[in-house]
Amino acid sequence: MSIFPVYCTAQVPILIIEKFLTDALNGSNKLAPGSEPSLAIVTAANGVPTTASSPPLQPFTSPFIGQSVEQISRQFNEMAHFSVLDERSTEDETAVLVERNSDDSIHTVRVTFGSSQSLLTALDVATLGFTEIQNIATSSGGVYGKNHPSPQEGQLAPRKRLGGD
């Protein structure tokens, strides 16, 4: 199984990072029971961990605070897919998934904590495309995996989408 790096570009509290790891693994287990952790929090600028991170974590200061996904991608150009926890992650429990293409172009999409690991795994084994994830996120208010409230009695039902979630 692949290990996917997770970079913090803001000062994210350890409890939020641990919630991210827990929710991501739980989300993966909903789709594929028995899933193993595959997200590695990168705590040093000199390389990517080779084993997945699991709570509890030791406090650390991220060397990537204030960096863009493009800057991180240039530093670690061997990674095709990775995740970023940023300032917004502390507010709405979302992360940024990043794809670096062979032409060095960068694509991003915001996803819920619970969908992070399963999406990275799907991208790794090519069962889902990044553009497809972006399209679903766009149709879901900008965040993949975000739940929409159910329509209330007397209100219009949502339009049916073909091939969606």
Side-chain angles (χ1 to χ4, degrees):
M1 171 176 271
S2 296
I3 300 295
F4 304 102
V6 178
Y7 302 93
C8 296
T9 61
Q11 192 60 46
V12 180
I14 287 292
L15 290 176
I16 299 290
I17 299 171
E18 290 176 345
K19 181 166 181 26
F20 167 73
L21 293 170
T22 301
D23 289 359
L25 181 59
N26 289 342
S28 192
N29 273 308
K30 284 181 184 176
L31 293 175
S35 295
E36 295 291 325
S38 64
L39 301 174
I41 305 297
V42 182
T43 59
N46 61 354
V48 177
T50 57
T51 59
S53 301
S54 294
L57 300 175
Q58 295 299 314
F60 70 96
T61 300
S62 173
F64 308 102
I65 291 177
Q67 291 189 22
S68 68
V69 294
E70 291 82 6
Q71 290 170 312
I72 293 169
S73 182
R74 279 193 298 270
Q75 291 175 43
F76 300 96
N77 61 5
E78 71 277 1
M79 300 308 304
H81 299 103
F82 59 91
S83 188
V84 171
L85 296 176
D86 59 8
E87 192 75 35
R88 183 171 162 186
S89 301
T90 64
E91 300 165 9
D92 65 3
E93 297 183 359
T94 62
V96 178
L97 258 55
V98 181
E99 176 179 70
R100 178 190 173 119
N101 291 324
S102 57
D103 65 356
D104 287 339
S105 62
I106 304 294
H107 302 280
T108 63
V109 64
R110 189 156 291 274
V111 302
T112 60
F113 282 1
S115 61
S116 297
Q117 180 172 306
S118 58
L119 288 175
L120 286 166
T121 301
L123 289 166
D124 190 49
V125 297
T127 59
L128 192 60
F130 207 85
T131 302
E132 186 177 0
I133 296 169
Q134 288 175 316
N135 290 340
I136 294 170
T138 299
S139 69
S140 299
V143 178
Y144 182 99
K146 189 175 182 181
N147 293 330
H148 295 288
S150 300
Q152 299 296 314
E153 187 175 327
Q155 293 182 344
L156 294 175
R159 293 183 58 94
K160 290 279 189 187
R161 283 188 337 120
L162 298 176
D165 53 327

